[in-house]
Amino acid sequence: MARIIIDKNSSRKEVILTKAASLFREKGYKAASMRDLAESVGVEAASLYNHIKSKTELLHEICFGVANRFMHKMEEVEGEKISPIEKIEALIRFHIDEMILHYEEVYVMDREWKHLSDPYLSNFQNQRRMYRKRFAAIIEQGISLKNIKPIDASTAVLILLHAIGGIESWHRSTQKISAEALTANMISILIGGIAASAKG
Amino acid sequence: MARIIIDKNSSRKEVILTKAASLFREKGYKAASMRDLAESVGVEAASLYNHIKSKTELLHEICFGVANRFMHKMEEVEGEKISPIEKIEALIRFHIDEMILHYEEVYVMDREWKHLSDPYLSNFQNQRRMYRKRFAAIIEQGISLKNIKPIDASTAVLILLHAIGGIESWHRSTQKISAEALTANMISILIGGIAASAKG
DNA sequence: CCTACCGATCGGTAGG
DNA sequence: CCTACCGATCGGTAGG
């Protein structure tokens, strides 16, 4: 019985988090009110506070939930015995999968993180800086091995991450091209560029 | 004398617009208050309304100011007798120049347009859709001529635009690499990809 | 989980 | 360009 109550509570909070991510994406964190959120959950605004501490808590749970998954994947990929290019491809694929499976959360992390407040804000910025640094290090390895052009690695990281994060149609189930085709296109363009190669 | 007053008024409004772009970028449109703006201009909040009609007017003047420049450039490039690849390179260069010269405004247009209200909101979305369609058409031409790989053109457009729009360091004068080197890197990566070509 | 409500802050106006 | 102020809305709390 206690178990049932706990399960009920935790699933209630998960519903609130999901609806919050959706609202924050649609209207932006500041423009989305707790009354909006309450309505979409189906309770009065005051009732939300039986499950959460504050609006800000929702934002940082969304942001760190996503950020932690990316960090975990980075650790995993770094440990694999594959080439730098293969590591980059694995990371790109993971980013795309995250966009497909958790579009709202990833979008909110990407565009609304600046509304975090300060223990969390600096923490988030540090974590993001570390992630990009480690991503850039993989590119540098590829450059050393001459599998990657001698480009500025941190510029390349920003291009890759924003190119993926900017695709807006991930969440639509009915899209002009399938997720697989989109993924193949992304990888092809980001790794190989848009120019036709001499080899055909 | 009347001329002097007009000049004074218009320069006053320009100051307000510039400060607004800066604040909207830093805090986001919703989180930036008119009292913040007044302080950064150096007047009381109520005084702003002698120069502007509303907060929303500031946002749409910023958004359409930038959007119109992009549209104008698109028209110009379409009319030039150069190859599709050269057209794309010209457009990419223009986007990069806009980021360097008008970082705050471009950033606000990119990330805060959703706070426009409705005659302007739909107008903006239409204009953006048209811009992307015309950009994609150039890529399609390149594919027909076999200068560009057979990729999905609208995916490629989103990748190009977001890759450029995502670079955050445009506005810093002291950067690790120069604007020219950054531009060269961007063009190289976006057109040629990151993989080293067989030709070396 | 709700009713009732609070202090703070918002965009904007009146009147000078 | 300022002082004074308004109605609306915000995140959140008290108390049941």
Side-chain angles (χ1 to χ4, degrees):
Chain A
M1 174 115 139
R3 199 176 194 288
I4 290 167
I5 290 167
I6 290 165
D7 283 348
K8 269 186 121 175
N9 284 345
S10 76
S11 91
R12 200 68 169 143
K13 176 151 185 184
E14 273 160 36
V15 168
I16 293 172
L17 270 168
T18 303
K19 297 283 193 185
S22 175
L23 261 173
F24 293 169
R25 182 198 64 81
E26 185 190 329
K27 301 190 166 191
Y29 176 75
K30 278 286 175 179
S33 75
M34 295 306 275
R35 281 150 181 93
D36 289 335
L37 177 57
E39 190 184 9
S40 103
V41 172
V43 296
E44 291 301 316
S47 305
L48 294 171
Y49 292 90
N50 291 307
H51 303 281
I52 61 164
K53 282 200 305 243
S54 62
K55 187 184 182 185
T56 248
E57 186 203 32
L58 292 170
L59 182 62
H60 80 243
E61 290 200 10
I62 291 166
C63 289
F64 285 95
V66 177
N68 290 341
R69 288 201 298 275
F70 281 120
M71 271 316 209
H72 186 263
K73 184 68 182 181
M74 174 60 78
E75 230 128 271
E76 183 188 312
V77 166
E78 284 171 337
E80 287 176 18
K81 293 205 188 311
I82 53 178
S83 72
I85 283 262
E86 285 167 326
K87 287 182 182 177
I88 291 165
E89 192 170 321
L91 289 170
I92 292 176
R93 278 189 196 283
F94 185 74
H95 275 263
I96 294 174
D97 288 348
E98 281 289 311
M99 287 295 274
I100 292 169
L101 295 171
H102 309 286
Y103 180 73
E104 321 267 10
E105 284 84 354
V106 177
Y107 185 99
V108 168
M109 181 201 69
D110 263 1
R111 323 278 260 246
E112 304 294 327
W113 63 266
K114 74 169 76 169
H115 297 111
L116 288 167
S117 39
D118 211 355
Y120 301 100
L121 179 60
S122 340
N123 202 308
F124 179 84
Q125 287 172 307
N126 286 338
Q127 208 167 318
R128 195 178 58 159
R129 197 176 60 247
M130 287 309 300
Y131 184 83
R132 289 175 178 180
K133 202 169 266 184
R134 287 160 76 171
F135 206 133
I138 296 173
I139 293 180
E140 304 270 23
Q141 286 161 29
I143 295 174
S144 297
L145 295 173
K146 313 238 189 228
N147 295 324
I148 295 178
K149 288 184 202 173
I151 47 176
D152 180 64
S154 52
T155 302
V157 170
L158 290 179
I159 288 177
L160 293 179
L161 298 185
H162 282 106
I164 300 165
I167 302 284
E168 293 135 359
S169 47
W170 298 119
H171 62 307
R172 288 182 227 149
S173 47
T174 349
Q175 32 198 37
K176 282 181 295 178
I177 70 174
S178 74
E180 289 80 19
L182 206 52
T183 304
N185 256 287
M186 294 276 311
I187 305 259
S188 165
I189 294 172
L190 291 175
I191 306 266
I194 63 169
S197 78
K199 298 186 278 187
Chain B
M1 174 113 142
R3 200 176 192 289
I4 290 166
I5 290 167
I6 290 166
D7 282 348
K8 270 187 122 177
N9 285 345
S10 77
S11 91
R12 200 67 169 146
K13 177 152 187 187
E14 273 160 36
V15 169
I16 293 173
L17 270 169
T18 303
K19 297 283 191 184
S22 174
L23 261 174
F24 293 169
R25 182 197 65 83
E26 186 189 330
K27 301 192 166 189
Y29 175 75
K30 277 284 176 182
S33 74
M34 295 306 275
R35 282 151 179 91
D36 289 335
L37 178 57
E39 191 183 10
S40 101
V41 171
V43 295
E44 290 301 315
S47 305
L48 293 171
Y49 292 89
N50 292 307
H51 303 283
I52 61 163
K53 282 200 305 246
S54 63
K55 187 185 183 187
T56 250
E57 185 203 34
L58 292 170
L59 182 62
H60 78 245
E61 290 200 10
I62 291 167
C63 290
F64 284 94
V66 176
N68 289 340
R69 288 201 296 274
F70 280 120
M71 271 316 208
H72 185 263
K73 184 68 181 183
M74 175 59 79
E75 230 129 274
E76 180 187 312
V77 166
E78 284 171 337
E80 286 178 20
K81 293 206 188 311
I82 54 179
S83 73
I85 284 262
E86 284 166 328
K87 286 182 183 177
I88 291 164
E89 192 171 321
L91 289 170
I92 291 175
R93 276 189 196 283
F94 185 74
H95 275 263
I96 294 174
D97 287 347
E98 281 289 312
M99 288 294 273
I100 292 170
L101 295 171
H102 309 286
Y103 180 72
E104 321 268 10
E105 284 85 354
V106 177
Y107 186 99
V108 168
M109 180 201 69
D110 264 1
R111 325 278 260 245
E112 304 294 328
W113 62 265
K114 71 169 77 168
H115 298 110
L116 288 167
S117 38
D118 210 356
Y120 300 101
L121 179 60
S122 338
N123 201 308
F124 179 83
Q125 287 172 307
N126 287 338
Q127 208 169 317
R128 194 177 58 159
R129 198 175 61 249
M130 287 308 301
Y131 183 84
R132 289 174 179 180
K133 202 169 265 181
R134 288 160 75 170
F135 205 134
I138 296 174
I139 293 179
E140 303 271 23
Q141 287 162 27
I143 295 173
S144 298
L145 295 173
K146 314 238 188 226
N147 295 326
I148 296 178
K149 288 183 201 173
I151 47 175
D152 180 63
S154 53
T155 301
V157 170
L158 290 179
I159 289 177
L160 293 179
L161 298 185
H162 283 104
I164 300 165
I167 302 284
E168 294 135 357
S169 47
W170 298 119
H171 61 308
R172 289 182 226 148
S173 47
T174 347
Q175 33 198 38
K176 282 180 294 179
I177 70 174
S178 73
E180 290 81 19
L182 206 52
T183 304
N185 256 288
M186 295 276 313
I187 304 258
S188 165
I189 295 171
L190 292 175
I191 306 265
I194 63 170
S197 79
K199 297 186 281 185

